[in-house]
Amino acid sequence: MADDLRTLADEDLMQLVRRGQAAAFEVIYERHSQAAFSLAYRMAGSRGVAEDVVQEAFLNIWRSGARYERARGSVRTWLLGIVHHRAIDALRRSFVHEKRRASDEGIAETLETGERTDVEAARSEEAATVRKALLGLPPEQVQVIELAYFGGFTHTEIAEMLETPIGTVKGRMRLGLEKMRHALGGGRVSQG
Amino acid sequence: MRTGPDHERWADSIGAYLLEALPDDEREGFEAHLADCPTCRRDTDELRVAADALPMSVEPVAPPAALQGRVMTVVRAEAELLAASGPGADRPEPAADPGRDVEEAAPGRTSAARGRRAGGRGRLSGGRFLGGVLERPAFALACALVLLVLGGAGGALLRGGGGDEAPGPRPPALRTTAAQIDAARAPNASVRLEQRDGSARLVVRDMPAPPAGRLYQVWLKRPGQSPEPMPVLWAPRRDGSAEVYVPGRLDGVDAVLVTDEPRGGAQIPSKAPVITAVPA
């Protein structure tokens, strides 16, 4: 049964998850747990916190699968949005802010780039495109985007940190996203 | 294109909103504006392309294999319970996080619905499911009925793992510790706590039924903290046996406690525990 499920698109799997099919959910987990964990780890800088974040996010998704709506975008985007929320919750609630910058566990845990499936190779290319778009921004725009999205800081905190007016920080965020959008071709990056 | 009231004030906040950098009160204000401002809705939708792409820029890191086992243990147990409860059963929902539920995961996607956000951010771990159970008496009752009526075949919530569909990794080591029992309330009972990697369960024998109108509830006790309620409301089978799944991780947990509580469960234990199990 699991093999049959693996041929289904995420959106179809979510229909089964909605009906309480654990096997369908497991396929969703297997497809997206790496991206989820990577994002959580990037934000928290700690394996333990990242594990908690991912576990919470996936259980939340399992219990609320009925709330996914196709029209809102891909399952992957939806799911990573939930992980991002959970990670920000963790960051803003706690001590992680102080620790996460210096990853104490880093390099060895990064995935080997050896055996990649076609899907993974495509995602790797997309990741490179996004990284290029992000790093192609003026440094002050990259800085506020990274502090906000991956650091979980509010614009007020960022303004204090950089000793820059809040309006300037907000302006850099918007400008940065606009330039990224253009660099990405103005269209959606496939995340499916 | 038409703009909403206070457009000049809010237009600069779109980037911060999509990056989740607005404080809660400001986010609510922005979302209220978004509902009335077609221009900001359009701009927000356009820029979301960039914000949604950001997770992809992250260097890939493999999650630990045991994480899948932990997640799927809970998922399978709940799936079995839902199946046993029938198609009309309430589906458990995360509830202890009113300010941040799944529906609200994508900034700006549900501007109307998001207006009801209560604000604040939820706890990270443990007990989230309990809120859903407690707010859904039918589901809580189903937990009890499954155990009382169907016995072993229906003890879904109480089994960690199992099932024959796509099993997760099987951790090798099993650690077992005997639990302390309140002999006055359960004179013949014996209970052991079994831990296997990230999951745990209580194996219960000769346990009396809980008092009328009550169920047993599991709690996790951490140092210096009040016991945390777990989403497990249970009663033993007719022969006094039960296998009680203990959700969450036991890292840093002093003791797994069991008390009897009203059928809807409790947020604070109303009695001394009848079972106290110290993790290995």
Side-chain angles (χ1 to χ4, degrees):
Chain A
M1 181 173 180
D3 284 343
D4 293 340
L5 291 174
R6 286 191 175 87
T7 65
L8 297 180
D10 287 347
E11 290 72 17
D12 298 323
L13 288 168
M14 287 307 297
Q15 300 268 9
L16 300 176
V17 170
R18 190 174 299 174
R19 292 179 215 148
Q21 280 203 23
F25 181 80
E26 188 158 33
V27 177
I28 291 284
Y29 178 92
E30 288 172 353
R31 280 184 190 167
H32 303 298
S33 58
Q34 180 183 304
F37 189 77
S38 303
L39 175 60
Y41 184 62
R42 168 73 174 80
M43 294 177 71
S46 147
R47 279 191 83 83
V49 175
E51 284 183 39
D52 283 347
V53 165
V54 171
Q55 179 167 327
E56 282 284 334
F58 271 98
L59 290 179
N60 199 328
I61 288 159
W62 159 249
R63 290 163 184 162
S64 309
R67 295 185 190 174
Y68 168 71
E69 291 176 19
R70 240 176 237 254
R72 291 187 192 174
S74 73
V75 170
R76 190 175 181 82
T77 299
W78 176 69
L79 184 150
L80 291 175
I82 293 165
V83 172
H84 188 244
H85 276 304
R86 294 289 169 200
I88 283 188
D89 283 346
L91 287 171
R92 290 189 185 166
R93 196 183 45 249
S94 73
F95 45 90
V96 181
H97 259 150
E98 295 158 20
K99 296 202 268 181
R100 72 180 184 285
R101 292 279 178 246
S103 165
D104 50 354
E105 306 156 53
I107 301 297
E109 302 178 37
T110 302
L111 269 190
E112 293 296 329
T113 52
E115 300 173 36
R116 290 194 186 276
T117 65
D118 290 345
V119 172
E120 284 167 339
R123 283 184 184 154
S124 179
E125 275 182 34
E126 288 172 347
T129 303
V130 175
R131 274 197 288 273
K132 187 177 172 188
L134 178 62
L135 298 177
L137 301 178
E140 66 274 13
Q141 292 173 13
V142 178
Q143 186 179 37
V144 296
I145 287 175
E146 292 212 328
L147 284 171
Y149 190 83
F150 295 115
F153 293 101
T154 65
H155 62 58
T156 313
E157 292 169 325
I158 295 170
E160 286 174 6
M161 210 180 299
L162 302 180
E163 298 180 340
T164 304
I166 289 177
T168 305
V169 170
K170 292 202 294 195
R172 288 175 183 171
M173 289 174 176
R174 178 169 180 158
L175 270 176
L177 289 179
E178 282 175 354
K179 286 180 185 169
M180 265 194 79
R181 173 175 166 262
H182 287 300
L184 294 171
R188 282 190 182 281
V189 175
S190 163
Q191 295 194 20
Chain B
M1 183 174 280
R2 184 174 69 81
T3 57
D6 291 332
H7 176 74
E8 296 305 317
R9 176 186 169 200
W10 291 112
D12 257 2
S13 296
I14 291 174
Y17 175 67
L18 288 169
L19 295 168
E20 297 201 55
L22 293 180
D24 285 348
D25 54 344
E26 205 172 326
R27 186 184 62 226
E28 289 168 11
F30 180 82
E31 287 170 349
H33 169 73
L34 209 54
D36 292 331
C37 183
T39 301
C40 282
R41 277 204 303 276
R42 180 202 61 198
D43 292 351
T44 301
D45 284 343
E46 286 179 359
L47 290 187
R48 184 178 297 110
V49 173
D52 282 353
L54 286 170
M56 297 179 57
S57 68
V58 172
E59 202 62 36
V61 180
L67 182 57
Q68 182 172 356
R70 284 202 298 274
V71 170
M72 291 311 300
T73 295
V74 177
V75 167
R76 287 194 196 101
E78 292 181 9
E80 287 181 34
L81 178 62
L82 285 167
S85 302
D90 297 326
R91 186 177 180 82
E93 289 184 359
D97 195 1
R100 283 279 185 190
D101 65 15
V102 168
E103 189 174 34
E104 297 168 329
R109 286 213 170 92
T110 55
S111 54
R114 290 156 62 92
R116 62 181 167 69
R117 190 195 319 249
R121 293 171 188 276
R123 295 176 297 129
L124 175 64
S125 62
R128 195 176 300 279
F129 180 38
L130 181 63
V133 171
L134 300 186
E135 288 179 3
R136 292 169 176 272
F139 184 75
L141 183 58
C143 296
L145 291 177
V146 162
L147 299 171
L148 293 168
V149 178
L150 302 179
L157 187 61
L158 310 188
R159 284 202 296 268
D164 56 3
E165 53 183 17
R170 280 288 180 196
L174 174 68
R175 289 172 293 168
T176 301
T177 50
Q180 295 176 348
I181 310 296
D182 181 343
R185 285 188 281 167
N188 301 315
S190 66
V191 179
R192 66 178 187 272
L193 175 64
E194 292 186 351
Q195 295 170 260
R196 196 189 287 275
D197 193 32
S199 64
R201 67 174 188 167
L202 294 166
V203 179
V204 180
R205 296 294 177 263
D206 300 318
M207 188 76 183
R214 300 174 76 88
L215 290 170
Y216 292 120
Q217 182 169 359
V218 175
W219 309 78
L220 297 186
K221 177 72 178 75
R222 293 184 172 81
Q225 297 179 21
S226 301
E228 182 180 9
M230 291 290 106
V232 181
L233 299 165
W234 61 280
R237 305 179 187 99
R238 286 179 189 279
D239 66 359
S241 67
E243 292 77 42
V244 184
Y245 167 70
V246 181
R249 300 168 65 177
L250 297 189
D251 301 340
V253 169
D254 275 351
V256 178
L257 309 176
V258 175
T259 62
D260 65 78
E261 303 293 346
R263 280 187 178 274
Q267 294 289 347
I268 300 170
S270 62
K271 291 183 178 180
V274 64
I275 296 172
T276 302
V278 177

